[in-house]
Amino acid sequence: MLSVAVVGSGPSGVYSAQSLLQQSLVPDVRVHVLDRLPTPYGLVRYGVAPDHEKIKSLQNSLRAVLEDERVTFVGNVGVGGPDGVSPARLAELYHAVVYCVGASADRALAIPGEALPGSYSATRFVSWYSAHPDLGADPFARDALAARSAVVIGVGNVAVDVARILARGAGELRRTDVPRAALRALEESRVREVHIVGRRGPSQARFTTKELRELGALPGARVVVDPTELALDPAYAAPDGLPGALPLPAVVRRNLEVLRGWSVGGGTGAAGDVPGSAGAGRRIRLRFFLRPVELLERGGRVAGVRFARTAPDGAGGVRDTGRYEDVEAQLVLRAVGYRGVELPGLPFDPVRGTVPHAAGRVLRGGVPSPGEYVAGWIKRGPTGVIGSNRSCAKETVASLLADAAALTRRTAADDPLAALREAGLRPVEWAGWLSIERAEAELGRSLGRGPVKIPDWAGLLAAARGETG
């Protein structure tokens, strides 16, 4: 029998487990899917926006894998930290270990004023409305949503997500699993203007057309696009592609069409500014060719962002023009990308933010380390969409299976979970997760809603034990 530990229960981890189940080279496989959290699904639970119900429904297919009799979910087990299990110990307990630990850190802007109160990473804001138990204190409910104007720096899907949540009426979010404190804060939010800002042009934005169009469909919110900023982008004037250059990707052409329509049409969303409607009077401004250089301060808090005006440099990048623009904001969210974090006990490339590997085999000193593998963002960096993890996992599992004959000659523990418990760990298995699900459903019923997430460690672990409070 081949005994494998998969560290991480998000898409890359579950797809790795699924690939192991679907192969026929090694008929007898046992897979333990470990996670630091007592809950499965990774970013599908704690990163996908609550109003993206179709994407969140991916949990159903991930669930089918975790419920397979050859798979055991092992939550509440950290790896590499002082209170968890080390990679060296995992290598003793299993024939092979696949690390699918993602890229959990956010990139900084590295500009003056970034540490001011009112300045946050978009990752933290997402964790807040997704009820991630690591968030701790609730800064957004306390004071950040007292802001009138918010600036979201970045033009990817995460930036669009957080802007949409800020501009969406809280009443529409009641049918989602948003935690109570976040919903209450969004109901009381004073934010009326949200700026989404990129340092380059619209043709280089990273959002998908579907995400972009959703902004224009928000009831009571208005999307505003500056036609002069669009016109700075050479691709905007030549949507079929510049002479002598490759044709524009389809997603870029579609994005430009949406932006052109908003610009020509005055930038009004589906419902326009409807007095008294959810999100009434809220405006979303899409801005381009602005590079943040400083967060401005007033009264010890963020009061705005100073941007340098940029322009195309003719080589795919931008140059500063020497002109500046200040944008008022009491809340600034940076959404400029994720970065992998070193896992103690594993090699790490600090420049790329990934674990060195060859086709998924972990490299130690440039040589494949027997029985150690990586998949997902910690393998390739924070690129692609959720589905990209499937092919990534398949490549890694193919390498593992090619090594299987040698791996199974090694000794593995008959009962790895017993060894983890002997080390003082308290795994939450699938029955514990089902108990959490029941507790969240009951919490939602008590509030007249669907299931509502439990936002703290103590509450999750109590629910896993079947305790109600």
Side-chain angles (χ1 to χ4, degrees), residues 22-111:
Q22 291 176 339
Q23 56 80 35
S24 58
L25 294 175
V26 182
D28 192 5
V29 176
R30 177 182 64 188
V31 183
H32 285 180
V33 178
L34 280 59
D35 203 293
R36 184 179 63 85
L37 298 173
T39 57
Y41 310 135
L43 281 179
V44 177
R45 176 176 167 91
Y46 289 119
V48 174
D51 56 346
H52 274 175
E53 297 176 3
K54 184 175 181 180
I55 301 176
K56 289 179 75 69
S57 69
L58 176 63
Q59 292 184 13
N60 296 328
S61 60
L62 301 182
R63 183 189 197 98
V65 177
L66 294 174
E67 288 183 330
D68 189 286
E69 61 182 7
R70 295 164 291 176
V71 175
T72 302
F73 172 70
V74 187
N76 196 37
V77 172
V79 175
D83 300 323
V85 58
S86 69
R89 181 57 174 151
L90 284 182
E92 295 172 348
L93 297 176
Y94 298 90
H95 291 124
V97 184
V98 184
Y99 293 92
C100 306
V101 293
S104 57
D106 58 272
R107 295 185 181 275
L109 297 171
I111 60 175

Side-chain angles (χ1 to χ4, degrees), residues 296-375:
L296 307 176
E297 178 267 340
R298 184 182 304 122
R301 294 186 55 83
V302 163
V305 184
R306 176 158 296 161
F307 291 98
R309 167 64 70 186
T310 64
D313 63 3
V318 293
R319 58 177 177 80
D320 285 351
T321 64
R323 294 182 289 121
Y324 296 87
E325 178 179 336
D326 292 350
V327 175
E328 177 192 353
Q330 298 80 39
L331 172 63
V332 176
L333 300 172
R334 64 180 182 274
V336 291
Y338 293 96
R339 181 174 176 79
V341 177
E342 182 175 6
L343 188 71
L346 278 185
F348 187 71
D349 181 343
V351 176
R352 294 174 56 85
T354 58
V355 171
H357 73 94
R361 294 181 177 91
V362 171
L363 299 178
R364 292 183 180 270
V367 178
S369 176
E372 292 187 312
Y373 304 86
V374 285

Side-chain angles (χ1 to χ4, degrees), residues 67-320:
E67 288 183 330
D68 189 286
E69 61 182 7
R70 295 164 291 176
V71 175
T72 302
F73 172 70
V74 187
N76 196 37
V77 172
V79 175
D83 300 323
V85 58
S86 69
R89 181 57 174 151
L90 284 182
E92 295 172 348
L93 297 176
Y94 298 90
H95 291 124
V97 184
V98 184
Y99 293 92
C100 306
V101 293
S104 57
D106 58 272
R107 295 185 181 275
L109 297 171
I111 60 175
E114 187 170 9
L116 284 168
S119 167
Y120 302 92
S121 70
T123 305
R124 189 166 184 176
F125 188 66
V126 171
S127 293
W128 172 68
Y129 65 62
S130 298
H132 197 295
D134 283 348
L135 186 61
D138 198 345
F140 299 103
R142 213 174 34 240
D143 57 10
L145 291 182
R148 300 179 305 278
S149 176
V151 167
V152 182
I153 299 174
V155 283
N157 283 343
V158 173
V160 174
D161 276 349
V162 298
R164 191 181 65 255
I165 294 298
L166 283 169
R168 184 181 284 285
E172 302 168 62
L173 293 173
R174 281 188 58 81
R175 59 184 173 80
T176 74
D177 58 7
V178 167
R180 286 178 290 180
L183 184 64
R184 192 159 48 243
L186 289 167
E187 287 174 339
E188 299 170 359
S189 171
R190 296 172 55 202
V191 172
R192 288 297 175 267
E193 191 155 57
V194 182
H195 305 258
I196 306 174
V197 187
R199 65 184 179 89
R200 298 194 293 180
S203 67
Q204 294 165 313
R206 302 298 297 272
F207 37 64
T208 62
T209 309
K210 179 180 180 296
E211 292 262 1
L212 186 61
R213 285 174 174 155
E214 286 177 345
L215 294 178
L218 293 175
R222 183 181 181 216
V223 181
V224 179
V225 183
D226 186 341
T228 60
E229 290 180 351
L230 299 183
L232 289 173
D233 192 327
Y236 181 75
D240 294 329
L242 298 172
L246 293 173
L248 293 176
V251 65
V252 173
R253 293 199 305 273
R254 290 193 298 265
N255 286 347
L256 294 177
E257 288 171 6
V258 172
L259 294 170
R260 183 177 288 106
W262 283 340
S263 175
V264 173
T268 302
D273 290 327
V274 182
S277 69
R282 287 177 176 158
R283 288 186 296 184
I284 303 169
R285 294 184 178 273
L286 283 158
R287 304 293 310 275
F288 300 98
F289 293 110
L290 293 172
R291 180 176 65 85
V293 294
E294 181 183 2
L295 301 192
L296 307 176
E297 178 267 340
R298 184 182 304 122
R301 294 186 55 83
V302 163
V305 184
R306 176 158 296 161
F307 291 98
R309 167 64 70 186
T310 64
D313 63 3
V318 293
R319 58 177 177 80
D320 285 351

Side-chain angles (χ1 to χ4, degrees), residues 305-466:
V305 184
R306 176 158 296 161
F307 291 98
R309 167 64 70 186
T310 64
D313 63 3
V318 293
R319 58 177 177 80
D320 285 351
T321 64
R323 294 182 289 121
Y324 296 87
E325 178 179 336
D326 292 350
V327 175
E328 177 192 353
Q330 298 80 39
L331 172 63
V332 176
L333 300 172
R334 64 180 182 274
V336 291
Y338 293 96
R339 181 174 176 79
V341 177
E342 182 175 6
L343 188 71
L346 278 185
F348 187 71
D349 181 343
V351 176
R352 294 174 56 85
T354 58
V355 171
H357 73 94
R361 294 181 177 91
V362 171
L363 299 178
R364 292 183 180 270
V367 178
S369 176
E372 292 187 312
Y373 304 86
V374 285
W377 280 2
I378 199 64
K379 169 187 173 185
R380 67 181 192 277
T383 61
V385 295
I386 289 176
S388 306
N389 292 297
R390 192 182 297 275
S391 57
C392 176
K394 285 182 177 179
E395 179 191 55
T396 294
V397 169
S399 295
L400 190 160
L401 294 173
D403 303 338
L407 295 175
T408 52
R409 288 196 290 269
R410 302 166 56 190
T411 301
D414 291 332
D415 188 352
L417 292 190
L420 294 176
R421 292 190 182 95
E422 289 172 5
L425 299 173
R426 295 293 177 264
V428 172
E429 296 184 54
W430 193 249
W433 159 241
L434 295 180
S435 184
I436 292 173
E437 279 193 319
R438 288 192 295 270
E440 292 184 338
E442 179 56 36
L443 174 59
R445 280 192 294 270
S446 72
L447 300 171
R449 299 170 56 190
V452 172
K453 286 179 181 172
I454 297 171
D456 60 284
W457 273 97
L460 287 170
L461 293 176
R465 294 189 297 266

